[in-house]
Amino acid sequence: MKASKSAQEKLLALQALDSSLIQLEHKANNLPVAKILDEKTIAHASARDLCVAAETEKSDIKHELSKSEVDVEQVVSRIERDEKRLASGLGTPKELEQLQHELGSLAKRRAELEEIELEVMVRIEALDQRISSLSQERDALQEEVIKFSREKEAALEEITRAKNTTIGERNALAAEIEPELLAVYEKIRASADGIGAARLHAGQCQGCHLTINAADLSRITSLPDDDVVRCEECRRILVRI
Ligand SMILES: [Zn+2]
């Protein structure tokens, strides 16, 4: 295959642009900010779930509290009723004695219930603190998620701009290269890690980095300038400069 020296040199310039595009693609897929964003998104979801769980627990305990409040009220109203009856002095001494006994038990029951009520209130207070710190954490993470999303978007936009510029340059350059040579380049590129053409530098193919033996090297360098040479090892187009 024949191609002018300048066409072969253009192919190397095209390769540089295509390699830049590969690097930009790699950069877009491996943004450090994307990794941070993923971590923050997971942390935010976890804080949000914990917050919901704490809210649910609180509402269950509040239900428990209103139940124990009703229990206390019932005991208090029984105490009041018994005290009234006792104050009225109506009834047999035995009945009055029974009333006093019942009042004693009721007072004990009231103290027990009030203690339960207090415990529940302490639990609610602890939950309130937990909910407050969790919701603060959740909101702070939400802000970070928004911030890093914007940073990621901006970084991707910048890469897209750079890619578009490079694509414009590479298409303009490709239009200057003979279609036949370009087709071979594209074919190799598709099967050789995106590198279709490499420079011959210091006796080495810059595509596979293998040193070409002296005999082959002297044969290659003695070929006419417009001969398109392929690396024996990696089959890439070897451009002699
Ligand atoms: Zn090679």
Side-chain angles (χ1 to χ4, degrees), residues 205 207-208 231 233-234:
C205 162
C208 62
C231 171
E233 191 62 37
C234 67

Side-chain angles (χ1 to χ4, degrees), residues 1-4 6-8 174-183:
M1 190 184 183
K2 295 270 185 187
S4 69
S6 87
Q8 292 190 43
E176 295 175 16
I177 300 168
E178 289 88 334
E180 215 180 300
L181 181 64
L182 196 63

Side-chain angles (χ1 to χ4, degrees), residues 19-30:
S19 293
S20 297
L21 284 173
I22 291 170
Q23 278 164 15
L24 286 168
E25 191 64 39
H26 179 81
K27 199 175 159 191
N29 293 328
N30 294 280

Side-chain angles (χ1 to χ4, degrees), residues 39-155:
E39 285 165 6
K40 296 291 178 188
T41 304
I42 291 166
H44 172 254
S46 155
R48 188 197 54 209
D49 290 350
L50 287 173
C51 208
V52 169
E55 294 274 12
T56 307
E57 198 183 336
K58 185 185 163 182
S59 108
D60 290 348
I61 292 177
K62 269 186 127 172
H63 185 69
E64 217 178 295
L65 179 65
S66 51
K67 227 179 93 205
S68 75
E69 277 168 352
V70 170
D71 288 347
V72 171
E73 274 167 31
Q74 278 174 349
V75 171
V76 167
S77 70
R78 257 184 89 180
I79 289 171
E80 281 168 358
R81 199 188 58 205
D82 283 2
E83 276 174 343
K84 258 184 212 159
R85 273 184 66 193
L86 198 64
S88 74
L90 294 170
T92 65
K94 199 179 175 190
E95 280 170 348
L96 293 176
E97 198 189 320
Q98 262 174 353
L99 264 180
Q100 233 153 12
H101 185 73
E102 192 180 285
L103 273 169
S105 314
L106 284 171
K108 217 176 130 192
R109 177 83 186 122
R110 182 187 182 173
E112 278 166 11
L113 285 171
E114 279 175 345
E115 200 172 322
I116 291 170
E117 207 178 2
L118 199 69
E119 269 171 32
V120 170
M121 283 163 86
V122 168
R123 274 163 70 197
I124 288 180
E125 207 181 324
L127 266 176
D128 274 336
Q129 278 173 9
R130 186 166 155 73
I131 289 166
S132 154
S133 84
L134 276 172
S135 58
Q136 270 175 29
E137 195 186 326
R138 179 201 58 202
D139 294 347
L141 283 164
Q142 167 88 51
E143 276 177 30
E144 285 194 293
V145 165
I146 292 169
K147 178 180 152 245
F148 289 120
S149 295
R150 284 187 187 136
E151 278 183 27
K152 183 188 170 185
E153 217 172 295

Side-chain angles (χ1 to χ4, degrees), residues 4-21 164-183 185-186 189 197 199 239:
S4 69
K5 196 171 157 64
S6 87
Q8 292 190 43
E9 278 171 15
K10 276 180 185 164
L11 205 57
L12 277 185
L14 188 69
Q15 179 64 71
L17 291 170
D18 281 335
S19 293
S20 297
L21 284 173
N164 289 340
T165 306
T166 310
I167 288 168
E169 286 172 23
R170 79 85 64 194
N171 288 346
L173 189 61
E176 295 175 16
I177 300 168
E178 289 88 334
E180 215 180 300
L181 181 64
L182 196 63
Y185 164 79
E186 293 291 11
R189 207 163 76 84
R199 187 188 299 269
V239 181

